Amino acid sequence: MKAKKRYRIAIEDESRLRQVASVSVSPAMLWTGGIIFGLLLIIFTALLIMATPVRTLLPGYLKRGERTEAKEGLLRIDSIREAYRINNLYLSNILTVLNTDRTPTDSILNVTSPNELPPDSLLPASPREIEFISKMKDREQYNVTILAPLAADQLRIYPVADGATISEHSQSATKPRILTPKAAPICAVADGRILAIQNPAPEGGSAIVIQHDNGFASRYSHLGTPAVSPGTHVDGGSVIAHGASGGAIGSGFFFMEMWYDGNPVEPGKYLEL
């Protein structure tokens, strides 16, 4: 039987004529060890390049400063190209205007590549969509947030007082007179924070200013005793004061003002009275 070929590595001590160490490996083991060592060397080299600044020494790799300059250069080229295109269009328009021999036409005919609408935007409404829109119109036609200005869509309105009505002569005023039962509790029109309390107010009684969300603010004047203090948060519909008595027996009134982004608005368009 033919003996298997093996490689032997030995370390000997010649001065003492003895063998210190010896290793015997087969060709298969030698090839396997070489492959494993090569893979480990490749993995170690890849990790070294990815995790250390050594990668900046590789041929063709840009340093951080050079990479930043390259990006800025590309952005600058894009800006120059866009400015060049706009300048050419401007000069073309001037030449067209100065050309007295041209035939007057609609300028839209000079557009070479108009932006086309997506096909979906040109499709007619489906029967279910038409039915849904019709139902929503019937449902929301008396909703104050639909009839009020667009800004009211972001503000939930609460009743300011039970049995309150706006005076006939101040329906469209920015500071309407709101009639209430005598000494009826006055409520906040929406969530907010008490900004200020005036006592006495120029209109008589006391006045309360509330800052709401989304740029809204409200002021209530000609009130009785305030039930809140400055800086406190109030919920919409919560009592802030009792109304002051009016001239007629069993009735009272107060004034109300509202602002949106600093501009006065008509409370009558917001209140459910």
Side-chain angles (χ1 to χ4, degrees), residues 24-236:
S24 178
V25 295
S26 64
M29 294 176 59
L30 187 63
W31 279 102
T32 303
I35 293 173
I36 293 175
F37 176 77
L39 291 176
L40 292 176
L41 183 62
I42 292 174
I43 294 174
F44 175 77
T45 304
L47 292 176
L48 185 67
I49 292 175
M50 290 188 297
T52 64
V54 174
R55 61 180 180 274
T56 58
L57 302 178
L58 297 176
Y61 188 90
L62 293 178
K63 296 182 180 179
R64 181 174 300 178
E66 295 175 348
R67 187 179 297 273
T68 302
E69 292 178 359
K71 290 182 179 179
E72 292 178 353
L74 292 175
L75 293 175
R76 193 177 298 112
I77 291 174
D78 290 341
S79 300
I80 294 174
R81 185 185 294 112
E82 181 65 15
Y84 175 77
R85 186 185 68 83
I86 295 175
N87 187 59
N88 279 347
L89 292 176
Y90 175 72
L91 294 176
S92 178
N93 289 337
I94 291 179
L95 293 176
T96 302
V97 172
L98 297 179
N99 185 8
T100 57
D101 297 330
R102 67 183 176 89
T103 302
T105 57
D106 192 345
S107 60
I108 192 62
L109 299 177
N110 295 327
V111 179
T112 57
S113 57
N115 295 326
E116 297 181 358
L117 293 175
D120 293 343
S121 65
L122 304 178
L123 297 177
S126 64
R128 294 185 62 183
E129 184 178 352
I130 295 174
E131 180 183 0
F132 174 78
I133 293 175
S134 177
K135 288 182 179 179
M136 289 301 297
K137 286 183 178 179
D138 293 339
R139 176 183 174 183
E140 302 292 345
Q141 61 179 338
Y142 300 112
N143 192 333
V144 68
T145 61
I146 299 298
L147 300 177
L150 179 62
D153 290 344
Q154 302 177 359
L155 188 72
R156 182 177 180 183
I157 304 297
Y158 293 84
V160 291
D162 293 334
T165 58
I166 297 180
S167 173
E168 181 180 358
H169 300 291
S170 60
Q171 292 285 340
S172 301
T174 56
K175 187 178 180 180
R177 178 193 292 255
I178 301 179
L179 306 177
T180 65
K182 186 175 182 180
I186 309 303
C187 304
V189 72
D191 298 345
R193 187 172 300 277
I194 304 299
L195 197 61
I197 295 179
Q198 295 174 285
N199 194 6
E203 302 87 346
S206 60
I208 298 176
V209 181
I210 303 179
Q211 178 66 58
H212 307 287
D213 294 332
N214 305 319
F216 277 91
S218 60
R219 182 178 183 268
Y220 315 77
S221 55
H222 196 266
L223 304 176
T225 304
V228 293
S229 57
T232 58
H233 176 82
V234 292
D235 296 327

